[in-house]
Amino acid sequence: MNVKVIAFDADDTLWVNEPYFRQSEEAFCTLLEEYLPRHELERELLKIEIGNLNLYGYGIKGFILSMIETAMTVTNNMISTKTIGEIINLGKQMLNQPIELLDGVEEVLKCLKGNYRLVVATKGDLLDQERKLRKSNLTSYFHHVEVMSEKDDANYLKLIKHLDIRPSELLMVGNSLKSDVLPVLNIGGYAIHVPYHITWAHEEIEQSIDSGMFKSVECIKDILAFL
């Protein structure tokens, strides 16, 4: 590899994220358990979340709006203002969660800084992702931070254009095969998958990946063996 830039996903690659969504979803299902069984509520919420992505994008704020819409739908608009307030508070609790770095993250960044340009390439709410990066105390390791509305081929091409590199000079590291691996391979870059034990259903894929430009490792420290 002739890699010049290593890009890292943020949520569930650098720090814990998805468990907070799962905890809030469980609390949401408890709030509405008199209306629908948990599995039906989860299915309805996911459907509404995905339908709202083009309007709200990714992140906590869109998630909370989707929970409120789901509550209105399953209760036939009979949801109480008290319950809506409790859903909003779930979102505020998520936004105020401390940042918990995943094991080995800072060690890896220390090893790589100076030898490569390091960037954050993530998606979600800009304000929230900036807040999390600031609270992580990792800002000094990164040359650039890119918050995308969607992680697709076009936005990765914009990123490499901004960084003034060829696609083959980019290595993307992340926990999502759908968002962090496939689009980067599509444009001719390298990708390393670092799986996380929880994956949002919308990020799951069924296809296998067979490419010499792709590796999968057990933890983020394992990427050092390829560099």
PDB file of all heavy atoms in Angstrom, residues 104-120:
ATOM      1  N   GLY A 104      -7.605   0.752  22.792  1.00  0.00           N
ATOM      2  CA  GLY A 104      -6.503   0.834  21.845  1.00  0.00           C
ATOM      3  C   GLY A 104      -6.529   2.022  20.913  1.00  0.00           C
ATOM      4  O   GLY A 104      -5.567   2.238  20.161  1.00  0.00           O
ATOM      5  N   VAL A 105      -7.592   2.806  20.925  1.00  0.00           N
ATOM      6  CA  VAL A 105      -7.733   3.902  19.969  1.00  0.00           C
ATOM      7  C   VAL A 105      -6.593   4.905  20.078  1.00  0.00           C
ATOM      8  O   VAL A 105      -5.920   5.226  19.086  1.00  0.00           O
ATOM      9  CB  VAL A 105      -9.101   4.599  20.131  1.00  0.00           C
ATOM     10  CG1 VAL A 105      -9.104   5.961  19.443  1.00  0.00           C
ATOM     11  CG2 VAL A 105     -10.204   3.732  19.567  1.00  0.00           C
ATOM     12  N   GLU A 106      -6.377   5.439  21.275  1.00  0.00           N
ATOM     13  CA  GLU A 106      -5.355   6.479  21.391  1.00  0.00           C
ATOM     14  C   GLU A 106      -3.953   5.917  21.134  1.00  0.00           C
ATOM     15  O   GLU A 106      -3.102   6.590  20.554  1.00  0.00           O
ATOM     16  CB  GLU A 106      -5.419   7.151  22.761  1.00  0.00           C
ATOM     17  CG  GLU A 106      -4.589   8.422  22.832  1.00  0.00           C
ATOM     18  CD  GLU A 106      -5.066   9.408  23.873  1.00  0.00           C
ATOM     19  OE1 GLU A 106      -5.843   9.014  24.771  1.00  0.00           O
ATOM     20  OE2 GLU A 106      -4.671  10.581  23.778  1.00  0.00           O
ATOM     21  N   GLU A 107      -3.716   4.689  21.526  1.00  0.00           N
ATOM     22  CA  GLU A 107      -2.422   4.048  21.256  1.00  0.00           C
ATOM     23  C   GLU A 107      -2.158   3.990  19.751  1.00  0.00           C
ATOM     24  O   GLU A 107      -1.040   4.284  19.284  1.00  0.00           O
ATOM     25  CB  GLU A 107      -2.423   2.643  21.844  1.00  0.00           C
ATOM     26  CG  GLU A 107      -1.176   1.842  21.559  1.00  0.00           C
ATOM     27  CD  GLU A 107      -1.292   0.409  22.070  1.00  0.00           C
ATOM     28  OE1 GLU A 107      -2.108   0.147  22.959  1.00  0.00           O
ATOM     29  OE2 GLU A 107      -0.558  -0.451  21.548  1.00  0.00           O
ATOM     30  N   VAL A 108      -3.161   3.608  18.988  1.00  0.00           N
ATOM     31  CA  VAL A 108      -3.022   3.521  17.538  1.00  0.00           C
ATOM     32  C   VAL A 108      -2.782   4.897  16.926  1.00  0.00           C
ATOM     33  O   VAL A 108      -1.903   5.071  16.064  1.00  0.00           O
ATOM     34  CB  VAL A 108      -4.276   2.862  16.920  1.00  0.00           C
ATOM     35  CG1 VAL A 108      -4.311   3.043  15.398  1.00  0.00           C
ATOM     36  CG2 VAL A 108      -4.318   1.386  17.279  1.00  0.00           C
ATOM     37  N   LEU A 109      -3.540   5.891  17.356  1.00  0.00           N
ATOM     38  CA  LEU A 109      -3.372   7.242  16.811  1.00  0.00           C
ATOM     39  C   LEU A 109      -1.980   7.783  17.105  1.00  0.00           C
ATOM     40  O   LEU A 109      -1.361   8.437  16.246  1.00  0.00           O
ATOM     41  CB  LEU A 109      -4.446   8.174  17.378  1.00  0.00           C
ATOM     42  CG  LEU A 109      -5.895   7.840  17.001  1.00  0.00           C
ATOM     43  CD1 LEU A 109      -6.855   8.801  17.676  1.00  0.00           C
ATOM     44  CD2 LEU A 109      -6.092   7.850  15.489  1.00  0.00           C
ATOM     45  N   LYS A 110      -1.461   7.515  18.291  1.00  0.00           N
ATOM     46  CA  LYS A 110      -0.110   7.955  18.628  1.00  0.00           C
ATOM     47  C   LYS A 110       0.932   7.309  17.725  1.00  0.00           C
ATOM     48  O   LYS A 110       1.897   7.952  17.297  1.00  0.00           O
ATOM     49  CB  LYS A 110       0.202   7.621  20.093  1.00  0.00           C
ATOM     50  CG  LYS A 110      -0.468   8.523  21.105  1.00  0.00           C
ATOM     51  CD  LYS A 110      -0.131   8.101  22.531  1.00  0.00           C
ATOM     52  CE  LYS A 110      -0.798   8.997  23.558  1.00  0.00           C
ATOM     53  NZ  LYS A 110      -0.525   8.550  24.948  1.00  0.00           N
ATOM     54  N   CYS A 111       0.737   6.036  17.401  1.00  0.00           N
ATOM     55  CA  CYS A 111       1.677   5.314  16.537  1.00  0.00           C
ATOM     56  C   CYS A 111       1.665   5.849  15.104  1.00  0.00           C
ATOM     57  O   CYS A 111       2.703   5.880  14.436  1.00  0.00           O
ATOM     58  CB  CYS A 111       1.358   3.830  16.523  1.00  0.00           C
ATOM     59  SG  CYS A 111       1.767   2.955  18.042  1.00  0.00           S
ATOM     60  N   LEU A 112       0.485   6.254  14.635  1.00  0.00           N
ATOM     61  CA  LEU A 112       0.334   6.626  13.235  1.00  0.00           C
ATOM     62  C   LEU A 112       0.599   8.100  12.955  1.00  0.00           C
ATOM     63  O   LEU A 112       1.027   8.456  11.850  1.00  0.00           O
ATOM     64  CB  LEU A 112      -1.080   6.275  12.756  1.00  0.00           C
ATOM     65  CG  LEU A 112      -1.448   4.788  12.795  1.00  0.00           C
ATOM     66  CD1 LEU A 112      -2.895   4.605  12.371  1.00  0.00           C
ATOM     67  CD2 LEU A 112      -0.524   3.973  11.905  1.00  0.00           C
ATOM     68  N   LYS A 113       0.340   8.946  13.936  1.00  0.00           N
ATOM     69  CA  LYS A 113       0.510  10.396  13.727  1.00  0.00           C
ATOM     70  C   LYS A 113       1.970  10.689  13.405  1.00  0.00           C
ATOM     71  O   LYS A 113       2.883  10.212  14.056  1.00  0.00           O
ATOM     72  CB  LYS A 113       0.078  11.165  14.970  1.00  0.00           C
ATOM     73  CG  LYS A 113       0.112  12.696  14.769  1.00  0.00           C
ATOM     74  CD  LYS A 113      -0.454  13.408  15.977  1.00  0.00           C
ATOM     75  CE  LYS A 113      -0.256  14.912  15.893  1.00  0.00           C
ATOM     76  NZ  LYS A 113      -0.950  15.504  14.734  1.00  0.00           N
ATOM     77  N   GLY A 114       2.177  11.479  12.384  1.00  0.00           N
ATOM     78  CA  GLY A 114       3.534  11.805  11.948  1.00  0.00           C
ATOM     79  C   GLY A 114       3.960  10.994  10.746  1.00  0.00           C
ATOM     80  O   GLY A 114       4.753  11.455   9.917  1.00  0.00           O
ATOM     81  N   ASN A 115       3.429   9.787  10.625  1.00  0.00           N
ATOM     82  CA  ASN A 115       3.722   8.943   9.468  1.00  0.00           C
ATOM     83  C   ASN A 115       2.638   9.036   8.390  1.00  0.00           C
ATOM     84  O   ASN A 115       2.897   8.734   7.225  1.00  0.00           O
ATOM     85  CB  ASN A 115       3.869   7.488   9.905  1.00  0.00           C
ATOM     86  CG  ASN A 115       5.033   7.288  10.857  1.00  0.00           C
ATOM     87  OD1 ASN A 115       6.124   7.796  10.620  1.00  0.00           O
ATOM     88  ND2 ASN A 115       4.799   6.560  11.943  1.00  0.00           N
ATOM     89  N   TYR A 116       1.452   9.417   8.799  1.00  0.00           N
ATOM     90  CA  TYR A 116       0.321   9.550   7.882  1.00  0.00           C
ATOM     91  C   TYR A 116      -0.475  10.791   8.266  1.00  0.00           C
ATOM     92  O   TYR A 116      -0.439  11.234   9.409  1.00  0.00           O
ATOM     93  CB  TYR A 116      -0.617   8.336   7.961  1.00  0.00           C
ATOM     94  CG  TYR A 116       0.039   7.012   7.685  1.00  0.00           C
ATOM     95  CD1 TYR A 116       0.613   6.269   8.729  1.00  0.00           C
ATOM     96  CD2 TYR A 116       0.087   6.489   6.398  1.00  0.00           C
ATOM     97  CE1 TYR A 116       1.214   5.045   8.484  1.00  0.00           C
ATOM     98  CE2 TYR A 116       0.695   5.259   6.153  1.00  0.00           C
ATOM     99  CZ  TYR A 116       1.254   4.550   7.192  1.00  0.00           C
ATOM    100  OH  TYR A 116       1.851   3.338   6.949  1.00  0.00           O
ATOM    101  N   ARG A 117      -1.220  11.303   7.288  1.00  0.00           N
ATOM    102  CA  ARG A 117      -2.224  12.299   7.630  1.00  0.00           C
ATOM    103  C   ARG A 117      -3.441  11.534   8.141  1.00  0.00           C
ATOM    104  O   ARG A 117      -3.952  10.642   7.453  1.00  0.00           O
ATOM    105  CB  ARG A 117      -2.614  13.137   6.417  1.00  0.00           C
ATOM    106  CG  ARG A 117      -1.693  14.323   6.156  1.00  0.00           C
ATOM    107  CD  ARG A 117      -2.253  15.224   5.076  1.00  0.00           C
ATOM    108  NE  ARG A 117      -2.159  14.624   3.755  1.00  0.00           N
ATOM    109  CZ  ARG A 117      -2.806  15.066   2.673  1.00  0.00           C
ATOM    110  NH1 ARG A 117      -3.629  16.099   2.776  1.00  0.00           N
ATOM    111  NH2 ARG A 117      -2.652  14.476   1.521  1.00  0.00           N
ATOM    112  N   LEU A 118      -3.897  11.869   9.317  1.00  0.00           N
ATOM    113  CA  LEU A 118      -5.046  11.193   9.918  1.00  0.00           C
ATOM    114  C   LEU A 118      -6.263  12.099   9.822  1.00  0.00           C
ATOM    115  O   LEU A 118      -6.186  13.299  10.118  1.00  0.00           O
ATOM    116  CB  LEU A 118      -4.763  10.852  11.382  1.00  0.00           C
ATOM    117  CG  LEU A 118      -3.494  10.046  11.666  1.00  0.00           C
ATOM    118  CD1 LEU A 118      -3.384   9.762  13.162  1.00  0.00           C
ATOM    119  CD2 LEU A 118      -3.458   8.755  10.868  1.00  0.00           C
ATOM    120  N   VAL A 119      -7.384  11.529   9.420  1.00  0.00           N
ATOM    121  CA  VAL A 119      -8.620  12.300   9.332  1.00  0.00           C
ATOM    122  C   VAL A 119      -9.752  11.511   9.970  1.00  0.00           C
ATOM    123  O   VAL A 119      -9.679  10.287  10.102  1.00  0.00           O
ATOM    124  CB  VAL A 119      -8.984  12.663   7.866  1.00  0.00           C
ATOM    125  CG1 VAL A 119      -7.840  13.358   7.172  1.00  0.00           C
ATOM    126  CG2 VAL A 119      -9.405  11.434   7.089  1.00  0.00           C
ATOM    127  N   VAL A 120     -10.786  12.217  10.370  1.00  0.00           N
ATOM    128  CA  VAL A 120     -12.042  11.608  10.792  1.00  0.00           C
ATOM    129  C   VAL A 120     -13.008  11.727   9.622  1.00  0.00           C
ATOM    130  O   VAL A 120     -13.199  12.818   9.076  1.00  0.00           O
ATOM    131  CB  VAL A 120     -12.633  12.300  12.034  1.00  0.00           C
ATOM    132  CG1 VAL A 120     -14.021  11.736  12.344  1.00  0.00           C
ATOM    133  CG2 VAL A 120     -11.723  12.137  13.231  1.00  0.00           C
TER     134      VAL A 120
END
